[in-house]
Amino acid sequence: MNSVSRKATLAVSGIAAAVGLSMFGAGAASASPLLPYEGTVYSSLGKCLTVGNTLAQKGAIVTFTCEPRSNGRYAFYYTT
């Protein structure tokens, strides 16, 4: 009987560990991405658009704008 009890305990422990790891993985995957600060200034329109398009394709932001600043720089603003 002792052997059966140990096997059952090991089986339950293995299942609990697998469930715990899968829940941990799901939590890590669903963590929100790191977003740039509102109004981050980029040295060119191309860089600003690249950041915005990349974040939009990932679903991290809904809309964005690149507003012109002095010396050909652009400020990045977005909505989530």
Side-chain angles (χ1 to χ4, degrees):
M1 285 300 219
N2 234 355
S3 176
V4 171
S5 176
R6 281 188 185 174
K7 287 180 184 177
T9 301
L10 288 175
V12 170
S13 297
I15 292 170
V19 169
L21 286 176
S22 67
M23 289 177 70
F24 176 74
S30 66
S32 63
L34 185 62
L35 296 174
Y37 289 113
E38 199 66 49
T40 298
V41 177
Y42 293 95
S43 61
S44 70
L45 178 59
K47 288 182 182 183
C48 185
L49 291 174
T50 299
V51 170
N53 287 328
T54 302
L55 292 171
Q57 288 175 1
K58 291 179 179 180
I61 61 175
V62 178
T63 61
F64 71 93
T65 59
C66 293
E67 295 183 4
R69 296 291 185 250
S70 61
N71 298 328
R73 302 172 65 135
Y74 287 82
F76 180 71
Y77 295 95
Y78 58 90
T79 59
T80 55

